[in-house]
Amino acid sequence: RTWPDTAPQYAILPPQLIGIGVQKGGTTSLSQYLSLLRWAQVGRAKEIHFFDKLLAMDEHVRGTSNFSQLYEAYVSRWPVLNTSVACTNHMCWHKPPGDRLAFEITPSYSADRRSAWLMQDILPHMHQLKLVLILREPVLRTISGFYHGVSRIIANTSIDLFHEVAMQEIAMLSKCYSSNTVALGMPSFNEADGNGSKRKGDVFDSLQCRNGFEQLDAMFECIKPMAEENNHPWLWSTLHNGMPYRVLDTSSTNDLLKRAMYEGHAYKSVYVDQIRNYLCAGFSPDQFLIVTSSELAHDPKAVLKRVSAFMHQKYELNTIDSNDLIRVGIHSMSRSHGHVPNEHVTTALKEMFAPFNKQLLSLLLSGGFHVNEEWLLREFGALPHDDML
């Protein structure tokens, strides 16, 4: 790290809370709910994308040592805090932010393997930072992610298109998602040995670590031949900065559609390795608050109280009208794609996710994470929803 371990103890620096995902899990609703709390201050935008699009795509970031200026640039996304931050290569200091804590939610931070490692390098207070992660049943998230991307390009997409792409992605992941690429810990697709450093401790006993940039480089080497042969630009938005195969024409509807189709929607629903990646980057389980989509939809007030307690803040709303918004539910404003996949594809996806989900529950329920066990088990089918609802 650029920030020396011998530096003085840092004051609480902004942001104090970052939502890292997942995409199509309810992050927009959570951001809107959080903005109703007196203690929470959102940045200029809900999704800042500092640690994925703004930095991860820049090849020069890997070798830079100017992390203090990058941190100051990040903090400038919260101008209303009246927070003046200044840094040297050894420490940062700032004016007190008053009674409001800065937060942002960029849901792609969880799936983009580089984000955690860029946070580790750039944030001088990474061990003081709190992370919130919303998890959604992975088959539903995969379908929702697919239609969210594709519907922006063409309307009234047939479910058959999802069936085709889903089965192609399962085949791709069965070949390329392994401990030699981006799978961390015990892989479910093959038992090849990983290469990298191993973290010790109860949570890390089977955790094989490698840098997020290296993970994606290895993934791309496996994906590349299939992408070239079939003209399937897998994970283009994540990998395109180093893609040697055909560059997509962003003015072409056909190319934009391919980009949306082959975005890796099932890949983004493998949550356990996303969390392991953050642990590998140096974050600890007690820095995570785990929420589920069903929990947020059913009882947003309870979720806001959980977040407030997690941040050691009093649950207090900005206005009386805020109570009405929470009671009605901001999530009810969202639209559903309405597509239901056939049994064959649904079964194939469930079978693919099953070993990862098993590892996820084992990790979250035994590793010191802040989690509502009942809602977690219901989200992943280990308990029926009816008992809670």
Side-chain angles (χ1 to χ4, degrees):
R1 288 175 55 81
T2 295
W3 305 102
D5 293 334
T6 56
Q9 181 68 36
Y10 299 109
I12 300 297
L13 297 171
Q16 289 83 6
L17 176 67
I18 297 180
I20 60 173
V22 298
Q23 292 173 306
K24 305 307 297 177
T27 56
T28 298
S29 293
L30 180 61
S31 180
Q32 292 174 319
Y33 282 131
L34 288 175
S35 69
L36 303 177
L37 296 173
R38 287 190 181 275
W39 61 262
Q41 178 60 60
V42 69
R44 288 174 176 161
K46 169 228 169 188
E47 299 183 17
I48 293 179
H49 290 287
F50 197 81
F51 299 104
D52 55 356
K53 292 180 180 178
L54 293 181
L55 291 183
M57 295 302 180
D58 188 344
E59 293 179 352
H60 300 292
V61 168
R62 301 195 200 192
T64 188
S65 59
N66 199 11
F67 291 133
S68 61
Q69 289 188 16
L70 290 172
Y71 171 64
E72 289 178 278
Y74 180 49
V75 173
S76 71
R77 269 61 180 180
W78 289 270
V80 296
L81 280 176
N82 192 28
T83 300
S84 176
V85 173
C87 299
T88 68
N89 286 336
H90 299 281
M91 66 179 296
C92 293
W93 61 94
H94 71 112
K95 295 178 181 177
D99 60 351
R100 309 201 80 178
L101 303 182
F103 80 92
E104 69 133 322
I105 300 180
T106 300
S108 51
Y109 285 165
S110 58
D112 191 321
R113 298 301 175 88
R114 298 162 297 193
S115 296
W117 298 84
L118 288 169
M119 289 181 190
Q120 182 228 45
D121 282 334
I122 293 167
L123 297 178
H125 65 312
M126 65 164 283
H127 293 298
Q128 298 176 343
L129 184 67
K130 301 291 188 179
L131 304 172
V132 59
L133 177 63
I134 305 178
L135 299 179
R136 183 181 182 184
E137 194 283 322
V139 176
L140 295 178
R141 200 228 68 83
T142 300
I143 301 167
S144 183
F146 178 86
Y147 279 100
H148 176 75
V150 170
S151 64
R152 293 181 174 185
I153 315 302
I154 57 173
N156 302 320
T157 307
S158 168
I159 188 65
D160 292 335
L161 183 61
F162 172 77
H163 291 158
E164 177 184 353
V165 174
M167 296 308 294
Q168 290 170 348
E169 184 170 4
I170 291 173
M172 180 274 287
L173 291 174
S174 69
K175 180 177 181 181
C176 291
Y177 197 90
S178 70
S179 61
N180 285 328
T181 55
V182 294
L184 302 171
M186 300 301 291
S188 66
F189 281 123
N190 68 61
E191 299 298 327
D193 292 332
N195 51 10
S197 59
K198 199 170 193 178
R199 291 199 59 169
K200 296 180 180 180
D202 292 342
V203 176
F204 310 111
D205 284 343
S206 62
L207 188 57
Q208 197 73 30
C209 292
R210 66 192 311 187
N211 181 284
F213 288 91
E214 295 173 355
Q215 292 176 48
L216 292 182
D217 287 344
M219 184 77 168
F220 172 68
E221 288 304 312
C222 182
I223 288 175
K224 178 186 172 185
M226 290 183 289
E228 291 177 331
E229 179 180 355
N230 301 316
N231 195 21
H232 294 169
W234 293 111
L235 306 180
W236 187 88
S237 64
T238 301
L239 301 174
H240 80 271
N241 203 46
M243 284 280 193
Y245 57 76
R246 185 176 71 85
V247 177
L248 294 182
D249 180 1
T250 54
S251 66
S252 164
T253 299
N254 185 58
D255 275 10
L256 288 175
L257 179 59
K258 284 185 175 294
R259 170 180 171 178
M261 288 166 54
Y262 299 105
E263 185 61 27
H265 303 288
Y267 161 77
K268 292 181 178 181
S269 302
V270 179
Y271 308 132
V272 64
D273 284 332
Q274 296 173 20
I275 296 172
R276 285 167 170 162
N277 184 55
Y278 272 81
L279 300 179
C280 282
F283 291 89
S284 62
D286 63 1
Q287 290 178 265
F288 284 83
L289 177 69
I290 306 297
V291 179
T292 68
S293 295
S294 299
E295 177 186 10
L296 180 63
H298 178 69
D299 196 350
K301 184 176 181 179
V303 170
L304 288 181
K305 287 184 175 181
R306 286 186 64 206
V307 177
S308 296
F310 180 60
M311 299 302 297
H312 305 290
Q313 297 295 312
K314 181 180 179 181
Y315 173 75
E316 190 174 4
L317 301 177
N318 286 322
T319 66
I320 296 176
D321 293 341
S322 297
N323 263 319
D324 293 333
L325 285 172
I326 293 174
R327 179 177 53 80
V328 173
I330 292 174
H331 66 276
S332 64
M333 302 176 189
S334 63
R335 294 174 295 176
S336 173
H337 53 79
H339 291 89
V340 179
N342 65 34
E343 184 177 353
H344 172 69
V345 174
T346 300
T347 300
L349 285 169
K350 286 183 176 180
E351 289 178 350
M352 189 199 81
F353 289 128
F356 292 112
N357 292 344
K358 182 178 180 180
Q359 294 172 39
L360 175 70
L361 295 179
S362 177
L363 175 67
L364 293 181
L365 296 178
S366 62
F369 296 85
H370 297 268
V371 60
N372 185 316
E373 181 175 346
E374 286 187 301
W375 276 113
L376 181 70
L377 294 176
R378 281 166 172 76
E379 188 73 33
F380 289 87
L383 288 175
H385 278 270
D386 291 344
D387 290 352
M388 178 70 74
L389 302 177

